Amino acid sequence: MPAVSAASCCAAATPANDVVEDLLGFLRVLSDGTIVRSPAEPVFCPDTFPDSHPSVEWKEAVYDKAKNLRVRMYKPSAAAVGNAKKLPVLVHFHGGGFCLGSCTWGNVHSFCLRLAADAGAVVLSAGYRLAPEHRLPAAFDDGAAFMRWLREQSVSAAAAEANDDTASWLADAADFGRVFVTGDSAGGTIAHHLVVRAAAAGSAAPEPEPAGAFAVRGYVLLMPFFGGVRRTASEAECPAAAFPNLDLVDQFWRLSLPAGATRDHPVANPFGPESPDLGPLDFGPVLVVAGGLDLIRDRTVDYAERLAAMGKPVELAEFAGKAHGFYLHEPWSEATGELIQAVARFVDACVV
């Protein structure tokens, strides 16, 4: 594994050790393989975003001690919920091109606060290992590991094990029989691979289960980060001033794909030449969200249309005039509120 440092990026490079990749100044790869990360949050995570909500409680836990992977957990307060029954659980994976991002970043935190409050749900924002230190499919493996951890928490909560603080915190609010996997951008790609893995194992489509049993009821892909060697129109026509632009997207793939792989690799392109045939797989319900100004818009829409043509239970919601990840750049906007209501309606419709 290449050496990793959080030291100053500027001090790390020397004439004999050039910077070969510079990702927004927050991640640099040196010619000897050293990877240098900045400890600072990017400018699109302003500290002006609120870090609390009057009706939402939140806390953190470590779900994988060996890898130091954390989850930030949110639940509407008892006063906000009142006498309501237990709430659906939304597992959320952040974006960042598989190379950047954290459940602790201000914009992710702010979005999850509002998601929990407005959707009336327990939100579990899970971290995962990042590339290039951990190239794909490491992020998908971590997503699957988190789902196993969550199932264990549901068992502990059902057994009312007082010595498990996390399970106890979740037990009074979380309905583990109504779990939904959501993800933004790269996190949406994680959600796709989790539904494919679950379907291949024969457990993606919801079936009637005993009351209280752990069950994943659906998947929400928010502008999923898919790729391919052949450019789509929305990629080719993307202006250089957009964020992200095509150069940045290509850089994300260079740093996150398995060594020697192209953007048609199955981890990037769900319909690539070596990707699994999705036709025979029994998918659970899927909500796909696209942005009209997103350079990945065409891939997102094509994904939903292909699933629909295969007879999968898929719903497409497109937000015209909105760029990639708008709900993170403006988490308290009216448009973000509309997005969250679309998620809430999908969740309600998936109740069996």
Side-chain angles (χ1 to χ4, degrees), residues 47-66:
D47 56 14
T48 54
F49 285 165
D51 62 1
S52 63
H53 190 285
S55 67
V56 176
E57 303 171 20
W58 67 273
K59 64 176 292 184
E60 283 188 11
V62 175
Y63 76 86
D64 188 322
K65 291 183 180 178

PDB file of all heavy atoms in Angstrom, residues 47-66:
ATOM      1  N   ASP A  47     -18.852  26.433   6.997  1.00  0.00           N
ATOM      2  CA  ASP A  47     -19.232  26.251   8.395  1.00  0.00           C
ATOM      3  C   ASP A  47     -20.465  27.066   8.763  1.00  0.00           C
ATOM      4  O   ASP A  47     -20.891  27.075   9.919  1.00  0.00           O
ATOM      5  CB  ASP A  47     -18.059  26.609   9.319  1.00  0.00           C
ATOM      6  CG  ASP A  47     -17.525  28.015   9.095  1.00  0.00           C
ATOM      7  OD1 ASP A  47     -18.210  28.811   8.426  1.00  0.00           O
ATOM      8  OD2 ASP A  47     -16.421  28.316   9.588  1.00  0.00           O
ATOM      9  N   THR A  48     -21.040  27.753   7.768  1.00  0.00           N
ATOM     10  CA  THR A  48     -22.297  28.459   8.013  1.00  0.00           C
ATOM     11  C   THR A  48     -23.494  27.503   8.011  1.00  0.00           C
ATOM     12  O   THR A  48     -24.572  27.868   8.436  1.00  0.00           O
ATOM     13  CB  THR A  48     -22.523  29.543   6.947  1.00  0.00           C
ATOM     14  OG1 THR A  48     -22.439  28.945   5.646  1.00  0.00           O
ATOM     15  CG2 THR A  48     -21.470  30.631   7.061  1.00  0.00           C
ATOM     16  N   PHE A  49     -23.302  26.267   7.496  1.00  0.00           N
ATOM     17  CA  PHE A  49     -24.385  25.293   7.564  1.00  0.00           C
ATOM     18  C   PHE A  49     -24.649  24.954   9.026  1.00  0.00           C
ATOM     19  O   PHE A  49     -23.708  24.742   9.804  1.00  0.00           O
ATOM     20  CB  PHE A  49     -24.024  24.005   6.817  1.00  0.00           C
ATOM     21  CG  PHE A  49     -24.073  24.112   5.319  1.00  0.00           C
ATOM     22  CD1 PHE A  49     -23.487  23.144   4.535  1.00  0.00           C
ATOM     23  CD2 PHE A  49     -24.700  25.171   4.693  1.00  0.00           C
ATOM     24  CE1 PHE A  49     -23.521  23.224   3.152  1.00  0.00           C
ATOM     25  CE2 PHE A  49     -24.743  25.270   3.313  1.00  0.00           C
ATOM     26  CZ  PHE A  49     -24.152  24.292   2.543  1.00  0.00           C
ATOM     27  N   PRO A  50     -25.907  24.881   9.437  1.00  0.00           N
ATOM     28  CA  PRO A  50     -26.196  24.537  10.836  1.00  0.00           C
ATOM     29  C   PRO A  50     -25.716  23.132  11.161  1.00  0.00           C
ATOM     30  O   PRO A  50     -25.797  22.226  10.342  1.00  0.00           O
ATOM     31  CB  PRO A  50     -27.723  24.634  10.916  1.00  0.00           C
ATOM     32  CG  PRO A  50     -28.208  24.528   9.507  1.00  0.00           C
ATOM     33  CD  PRO A  50     -27.128  25.113   8.658  1.00  0.00           C
ATOM     34  N   ASP A  51     -25.193  22.967  12.386  1.00  0.00           N
ATOM     35  CA  ASP A  51     -24.724  21.645  12.790  1.00  0.00           C
ATOM     36  C   ASP A  51     -25.698  20.973  13.752  1.00  0.00           C
ATOM     37  O   ASP A  51     -25.387  19.952  14.363  1.00  0.00           O
ATOM     38  CB  ASP A  51     -23.331  21.720  13.422  1.00  0.00           C
ATOM     39  CG  ASP A  51     -23.305  22.560  14.694  1.00  0.00           C
ATOM     40  OD1 ASP A  51     -24.376  23.065  15.105  1.00  0.00           O
ATOM     41  OD2 ASP A  51     -22.217  22.714  15.274  1.00  0.00           O
ATOM     42  N   SER A  52     -26.882  21.558  13.889  1.00  0.00           N
ATOM     43  CA  SER A  52     -27.907  20.957  14.743  1.00  0.00           C
ATOM     44  C   SER A  52     -29.274  21.297  14.182  1.00  0.00           C
ATOM     45  O   SER A  52     -29.411  22.152  13.310  1.00  0.00           O
ATOM     46  CB  SER A  52     -27.776  21.455  16.186  1.00  0.00           C
ATOM     47  OG  SER A  52     -27.992  22.859  16.248  1.00  0.00           O
ATOM     48  N   HIS A  53     -30.285  20.597  14.675  1.00  0.00           N
ATOM     49  CA  HIS A  53     -31.673  20.832  14.263  1.00  0.00           C
ATOM     50  C   HIS A  53     -32.533  20.668  15.507  1.00  0.00           C
ATOM     51  O   HIS A  53     -32.322  19.727  16.287  1.00  0.00           O
ATOM     52  CB  HIS A  53     -32.089  19.828  13.184  1.00  0.00           C
ATOM     53  CG  HIS A  53     -33.400  20.130  12.536  1.00  0.00           C
ATOM     54  ND1 HIS A  53     -34.611  19.904  13.168  1.00  0.00           N
ATOM     55  CD2 HIS A  53     -33.697  20.641  11.312  1.00  0.00           C
ATOM     56  CE1 HIS A  53     -35.594  20.259  12.353  1.00  0.00           C
ATOM     57  NE2 HIS A  53     -35.073  20.710  11.230  1.00  0.00           N
ATOM     58  N   PRO A  54     -33.490  21.573  15.723  1.00  0.00           N
ATOM     59  CA  PRO A  54     -34.262  21.514  16.974  1.00  0.00           C
ATOM     60  C   PRO A  54     -35.033  20.231  17.190  1.00  0.00           C
ATOM     61  O   PRO A  54     -35.369  19.903  18.333  1.00  0.00           O
ATOM     62  CB  PRO A  54     -35.211  22.719  16.847  1.00  0.00           C
ATOM     63  CG  PRO A  54     -35.239  23.057  15.385  1.00  0.00           C
ATOM     64  CD  PRO A  54     -33.891  22.706  14.863  1.00  0.00           C
ATOM     65  N   SER A  55     -35.324  19.492  16.127  1.00  0.00           N
ATOM     66  CA  SER A  55     -36.129  18.281  16.292  1.00  0.00           C
ATOM     67  C   SER A  55     -35.357  16.995  16.003  1.00  0.00           C
ATOM     68  O   SER A  55     -35.952  15.929  15.888  1.00  0.00           O
ATOM     69  CB  SER A  55     -37.374  18.343  15.394  1.00  0.00           C
ATOM     70  OG  SER A  55     -37.007  18.281  14.036  1.00  0.00           O
ATOM     71  N   VAL A  56     -34.014  17.102  15.871  1.00  0.00           N
ATOM     72  CA  VAL A  56     -33.213  15.918  15.524  1.00  0.00           C
ATOM     73  C   VAL A  56     -32.079  15.728  16.523  1.00  0.00           C
ATOM     74  O   VAL A  56     -31.354  16.674  16.837  1.00  0.00           O
ATOM     75  CB  VAL A  56     -32.624  16.043  14.101  1.00  0.00           C
ATOM     76  CG1 VAL A  56     -31.714  14.862  13.780  1.00  0.00           C
ATOM     77  CG2 VAL A  56     -33.747  16.138  13.070  1.00  0.00           C
ATOM     78  N   GLU A  57     -31.936  14.498  17.011  1.00  0.00           N
ATOM     79  CA  GLU A  57     -30.793  14.128  17.842  1.00  0.00           C
ATOM     80  C   GLU A  57     -29.794  13.383  16.968  1.00  0.00           C
ATOM     81  O   GLU A  57     -30.184  12.681  16.039  1.00  0.00           O
ATOM     82  CB  GLU A  57     -31.236  13.204  18.982  1.00  0.00           C
ATOM     83  CG  GLU A  57     -32.324  13.768  19.875  1.00  0.00           C
ATOM     84  CD  GLU A  57     -32.867  12.717  20.830  1.00  0.00           C
ATOM     85  OE1 GLU A  57     -32.180  11.700  21.069  1.00  0.00           O
ATOM     86  OE2 GLU A  57     -33.983  12.910  21.340  1.00  0.00           O
ATOM     87  N   TRP A  58     -28.504  13.510  17.285  1.00  0.00           N
ATOM     88  CA  TRP A  58     -27.524  12.756  16.510  1.00  0.00           C
ATOM     89  C   TRP A  58     -26.320  12.388  17.365  1.00  0.00           C
ATOM     90  O   TRP A  58     -26.036  13.018  18.379  1.00  0.00           O
ATOM     91  CB  TRP A  58     -27.086  13.514  15.263  1.00  0.00           C
ATOM     92  CG  TRP A  58     -26.297  14.780  15.489  1.00  0.00           C
ATOM     93  CD1 TRP A  58     -26.793  16.034  15.701  1.00  0.00           C
ATOM     94  CD2 TRP A  58     -24.869  14.903  15.504  1.00  0.00           C
ATOM     95  NE1 TRP A  58     -25.780  16.936  15.853  1.00  0.00           N
ATOM     96  CE2 TRP A  58     -24.587  16.278  15.737  1.00  0.00           C
ATOM     97  CE3 TRP A  58     -23.814  14.014  15.347  1.00  0.00           C
ATOM     98  CZ2 TRP A  58     -23.285  16.772  15.810  1.00  0.00           C
ATOM     99  CZ3 TRP A  58     -22.508  14.493  15.413  1.00  0.00           C
ATOM    100  CH2 TRP A  58     -22.270  15.854  15.645  1.00  0.00           C
ATOM    101  N   LYS A  59     -25.653  11.327  16.947  1.00  0.00           N
ATOM    102  CA  LYS A  59     -24.439  10.876  17.621  1.00  0.00           C
ATOM    103  C   LYS A  59     -23.631  10.036  16.637  1.00  0.00           C
ATOM    104  O   LYS A  59     -24.124   9.681  15.560  1.00  0.00           O
ATOM    105  CB  LYS A  59     -24.775  10.060  18.874  1.00  0.00           C
ATOM    106  CG  LYS A  59     -25.505   8.756  18.587  1.00  0.00           C
ATOM    107  CD  LYS A  59     -25.734   7.935  19.869  1.00  0.00           C
ATOM    108  CE  LYS A  59     -24.430   7.421  20.425  1.00  0.00           C
ATOM    109  NZ  LYS A  59     -24.627   6.538  21.600  1.00  0.00           N
ATOM    110  N   GLU A  60     -22.398   9.724  16.998  1.00  0.00           N
ATOM    111  CA  GLU A  60     -21.532   8.914  16.153  1.00  0.00           C
ATOM    112  C   GLU A  60     -21.199   7.592  16.820  1.00  0.00           C
ATOM    113  O   GLU A  60     -21.260   7.460  18.038  1.00  0.00           O
ATOM    114  CB  GLU A  60     -20.217   9.655  15.842  1.00  0.00           C
ATOM    115  CG  GLU A  60     -20.343  10.739  14.801  1.00  0.00           C
ATOM    116  CD  GLU A  60     -18.990  11.302  14.395  1.00  0.00           C
ATOM    117  OE1 GLU A  60     -17.952  10.697  14.765  1.00  0.00           O
ATOM    118  OE2 GLU A  60     -18.972  12.339  13.721  1.00  0.00           O
ATOM    119  N   ALA A  61     -20.840   6.619  15.986  1.00  0.00           N
ATOM    120  CA  ALA A  61     -20.371   5.328  16.474  1.00  0.00           C
ATOM    121  C   ALA A  61     -19.349   4.789  15.487  1.00  0.00           C
ATOM    122  O   ALA A  61     -19.305   5.208  14.324  1.00  0.00           O
ATOM    123  CB  ALA A  61     -21.538   4.349  16.620  1.00  0.00           C
ATOM    124  N   VAL A  62     -18.509   3.891  15.936  1.00  0.00           N
ATOM    125  CA  VAL A  62     -17.571   3.184  15.069  1.00  0.00           C
ATOM    126  C   VAL A  62     -18.189   1.842  14.726  1.00  0.00           C
ATOM    127  O   VAL A  62     -18.524   1.067  15.619  1.00  0.00           O
ATOM    128  CB  VAL A  62     -16.213   2.981  15.761  1.00  0.00           C
ATOM    129  CG1 VAL A  62     -15.283   2.124  14.894  1.00  0.00           C
ATOM    130  CG2 VAL A  62     -15.559   4.331  16.060  1.00  0.00           C
ATOM    131  N   TYR A  63     -18.361   1.574  13.440  1.00  0.00           N
ATOM    132  CA  TYR A  63     -18.950   0.286  13.068  1.00  0.00           C
ATOM    133  C   TYR A  63     -17.901  -0.731  12.629  1.00  0.00           C
ATOM    134  O   TYR A  63     -18.194  -1.930  12.546  1.00  0.00           O
ATOM    135  CB  TYR A  63     -20.033   0.458  11.991  1.00  0.00           C
ATOM    136  CG  TYR A  63     -19.568   0.703  10.583  1.00  0.00           C
ATOM    137  CD1 TYR A  63     -19.255  -0.360   9.729  1.00  0.00           C
ATOM    138  CD2 TYR A  63     -19.481   1.988  10.066  1.00  0.00           C
ATOM    139  CE1 TYR A  63     -18.855  -0.141   8.423  1.00  0.00           C
ATOM    140  CE2 TYR A  63     -19.082   2.218   8.765  1.00  0.00           C
ATOM    141  CZ  TYR A  63     -18.768   1.151   7.943  1.00  0.00           C
ATOM    142  OH  TYR A  63     -18.373   1.374   6.651  1.00  0.00           O
ATOM    143  N   ASP A  64     -16.678  -0.270  12.342  1.00  0.00           N
ATOM    144  CA  ASP A  64     -15.589  -1.181  12.012  1.00  0.00           C
ATOM    145  C   ASP A  64     -14.320  -0.637  12.658  1.00  0.00           C
ATOM    146  O   ASP A  64     -13.694   0.290  12.136  1.00  0.00           O
ATOM    147  CB  ASP A  64     -15.420  -1.302  10.493  1.00  0.00           C
ATOM    148  CG  ASP A  64     -14.428  -2.383  10.091  1.00  0.00           C
ATOM    149  OD1 ASP A  64     -13.403  -2.549  10.782  1.00  0.00           O
ATOM    150  OD2 ASP A  64     -14.667  -3.057   9.065  1.00  0.00           O
ATOM    151  N   LYS A  65     -13.959  -1.187  13.817  1.00  0.00           N
ATOM    152  CA  LYS A  65     -12.801  -0.671  14.558  1.00  0.00           C
ATOM    153  C   LYS A  65     -11.506  -0.891  13.797  1.00  0.00           C
ATOM    154  O   LYS A  65     -10.621  -0.033  13.808  1.00  0.00           O
ATOM    155  CB  LYS A  65     -12.732  -1.339  15.936  1.00  0.00           C
ATOM    156  CG  LYS A  65     -13.861  -0.929  16.876  1.00  0.00           C
ATOM    157  CD  LYS A  65     -13.699  -1.575  18.237  1.00  0.00           C
ATOM    158  CE  LYS A  65     -14.828  -1.150  19.165  1.00  0.00           C
ATOM    159  NZ  LYS A  65     -14.714  -1.800  20.495  1.00  0.00           N
ATOM    160  N   ALA A  66     -11.363  -2.024  13.134  1.00  0.00           N
ATOM    161  CA  ALA A  66     -10.118  -2.323  12.427  1.00  0.00           C
ATOM    162  C   ALA A  66      -9.842  -1.308  11.327  1.00  0.00           C
ATOM    163  O   ALA A  66      -8.687  -0.937  11.091  1.00  0.00           O
ATOM    164  CB  ALA A  66     -10.182  -3.734  11.849  1.00  0.00           C
TER     165      ALA A  66
END
